[in-house]
Amino acid sequence: MQHGPAVRRRKLGAELRNLRAQAGLTSGEAARLVGWHQSKVSRIETGISGSKPADVRLLLDAYGVADQQLRELMLALAGADGSGGRDHWWHAYRGVLPPTYRDFISLESQASAMRTLETTVVPGLLQTPEYARAVTRAAVEGGDEDQLDTLVEVRLARQDVLRAQPPLELCAVLDEAVLRREVGGPEVMARQLGRLVEAARLPQVRLQVLPFAAGAHIGVTGPFVIFSFSRTSDLDVVVLDHLTSSLYLERKEDLQAYTEAFNALRAHALSPGDSSDYIAAIADGA
């Protein structure tokens, strides 16, 4: 269990090591091609030290990597400000957003799919502006209005991943408590529930409700997110949010455990169609 930057460094190193092996090069040969000492290649591959985007470009060129999507992902993991992929707009908020949140947004923007269990609030990617403001106000109690405005702006900007080409595929399981918790008052909540019904119609969004009637379930331990990447499954990661930070799980055993847990939750949840009807009924006061 590590913080995001360390996980990304290790994942980037492991992928670069695989690409070098696919190119039929030893670490010494790779170092000579780019004009480095072998120890620098080794430190990058083991995740001991970070690597600049310019260094990653040199290695990718040396390994003959032409896949643009893969190159963009590698550069994003190295912290590139603009690798040719989705615009890294969040860098403009460095002075406001903590590193763990920026790292989360970076992964979210580069992932091809996101699976999430939410037990308390509506997923950020599906929040209305009013709901987002109410949630953010509660999370940063004591913050000034300018800070609140900025954080809400960031949360809404994140939603662009659902409109990108290709869009992020979102699969969310919502505990019924998410739908029943009156965030921001009745009117705000009614609009938010309506937004969920609309979002459920999108081809890239799959919503399922886990009703109270399902009883105790594996998700009672708390919410989590699984990010997946289409070309490089070894970069998949589980994110657990805490009050002051986020923790990242990268081991295959952890990924398997959370994937199985998510599949079990989906099996106990209502179908997408029934979930939409359930949400609409709650919105209508049924």
Side-chain angles (χ1 to χ4, degrees), residues 57-208:
R57 287 190 183 93
L58 283 175
L59 292 174
L60 293 175
D61 290 342
Y63 302 158
V65 177
D67 186 320
Q68 190 59 33
Q69 186 176 1
L70 179 57
R71 290 179 68 94
E72 290 171 3
L73 180 55
M74 296 299 98
L75 290 166
L77 287 173
D81 286 338
S83 61
R86 293 172 183 157
D87 182 26
H88 293 185
W89 53 269
W90 58 91
H91 288 287
Y93 298 91
R94 282 183 177 273
V96 179
L97 306 180
T100 51
Y101 191 20
R102 294 201 307 268
D103 202 61
F104 181 91
I105 295 173
S106 176
L107 287 173
E108 184 178 70
S109 73
Q110 294 296 326
S112 59
M114 174 179 175
R115 287 165 286 175
T116 181
L117 165 69
E118 293 293 346
T119 59
T120 307
V121 296
V122 169
L125 296 183
L126 301 177
Q127 292 178 4
T128 64
E130 299 89 349
Y131 186 98
R133 192 172 193 84
V135 168
T136 304
R137 187 185 295 279
V140 293
E141 187 175 355
D144 58 39
E145 288 300 311
D146 287 342
Q147 180 188 20
L148 182 62
D149 290 342
T150 300
L151 291 174
V152 172
E153 182 180 316
V154 168
R155 181 160 299 200
L156 297 179
R158 285 172 47 203
Q159 298 178 2
D160 285 345
V161 295
L162 295 176
R163 296 182 286 271
Q165 293 299 325
L168 176 77
E169 295 181 5
L170 174 64
C171 183
V173 174
L174 310 181
D175 189 277
E176 185 172 344
V178 172
L179 311 176
R180 298 288 185 182
R181 180 168 286 101
E182 198 172 271
V183 174
E187 293 183 1
V188 170
M189 200 62 205
R191 285 192 291 271
Q192 178 59 74
L193 293 175
R195 165 66 178 139
L196 289 177
V197 173
E198 293 173 1
R201 300 192 186 105
L202 298 173
Q204 67 271 34
V205 175
R206 183 184 181 94
L207 291 183
Q208 290 184 253

Side-chain angles (χ1 to χ4, degrees), residues 1 3 8 14 26 50 68 82 158-159 177 192 268:
M1 196 177 281
H3 291 288
R8 292 175 62 185
T26 66
Q68 190 59 33
R158 285 172 47 203
Q159 298 178 2
Q192 178 59 74
H268 285 88

